[in-house]
Amino acid sequence: LPHFERVRFHRPIMLEAGGRVTVRIAAQMNGEGTIDIRLRSSETSFSTDHMEATCRFNEIFRPTMLARSSSEQSVVLDPQTELYGSVLFQSGRFRRLKSYERLGATECLARASVEKDSGWFGRYLPQSLVLSDPGARDAALHAIQACIPHARVLPVGVDSVEFGPHRPGAFQRIHARELSQSGGVLVYDLEIATPDGQVVERWSR
């Protein structure tokens, strides 16, 4: 499985309702055994990197379990009615947050629903997923928004993204913890786990 490093989100790709954008992905292997990746789009005439990252395949994922807290309890908050449409802008298959087990200014533990491995690719392409559900992964990122409801939170980069084997399940558990804050920049570590708490994906600094 791939291990991504130095991931940077420079510019979002904007798509109006009913609009059309062409995306180009360039991947080039370098002499260090890593692959440099760039993503560009027709929105900027393919002249600007919207995203860049370095990928390697020689890392071994070390599974862990989510840390438990003695104060862990269900949070009385319904994301579908109290977050989406106001605090959170996601819609359709990206509205995946179901509940919060823990929610504070610097930490959250949430649950997101997971769909079957279908419908993400063109009709003549295989539908099986290698790196889990993209909608649930997006929910893992925007779950942090509830910690900072007064400001719009957007990811700008991550130093390391590690993946374990894809394990389909009814829900994914999401644990995010703030490490530091400088001005408007927040630094979080993020873990995505199975319903029983086994970590299968890790986003670090």
Side-chain angles (χ1 to χ4, degrees), residues 40-185:
R40 297 186 174 189
S41 80
S42 57
E43 181 190 2
T44 55
S45 301
F46 306 106
S47 61
T48 301
D49 289 337
H50 290 266
M51 184 277 290
E52 63 177 319
T54 299
C55 177
R56 65 172 71 245
F57 288 89
N58 58 356
E59 300 292 327
I60 298 176
F61 183 80
R62 293 173 174 81
T64 57
M65 296 296 291
L66 284 181
R68 294 190 175 275
S69 170
S70 58
S71 63
E72 189 171 306
Q73 59 183 1
S74 180
V75 178
V76 183
L77 175 69
D78 180 6
Q80 297 298 316
T81 59
E82 298 180 71
L83 294 180
Y84 287 115
S86 55
V87 178
L88 298 174
F89 61 83
Q90 287 79 5
S91 61
R93 67 194 312 178
F94 292 95
R95 285 196 175 195
R96 298 296 192 83
L97 286 179
K98 295 300 180 184
S99 63
Y100 282 86
E101 298 175 31
R102 191 188 314 155
L103 180 59
T106 60
E107 184 182 25
C108 68
L109 180 61
R111 288 181 180 265
S113 62
V114 178
E115 289 185 344
K116 294 181 179 180
D117 293 359
S118 62
W120 286 102
F121 310 108
R123 60 185 298 184
Y124 298 113
L125 297 174
Q127 298 299 320
S128 58
L129 298 173
V130 175
L131 299 180
S132 190
D133 183 344
R137 177 173 296 109
D138 185 67
L141 295 178
H142 71 245
I144 301 171
Q145 178 68 74
C147 299
I148 313 103
H150 57 280
R152 175 64 57 82
V153 177
L154 294 173
V156 296
V158 58
D159 288 345
S160 173
V161 183
E162 304 170 82
F163 298 96
H166 174 40
R167 290 179 54 187
F171 289 89
Q172 284 193 345
R173 300 180 74 189
I174 302 157
H175 180 228
R177 180 172 59 91
E178 183 184 308
L179 301 179
S180 65
Q181 181 177 161
S182 177
V185 178

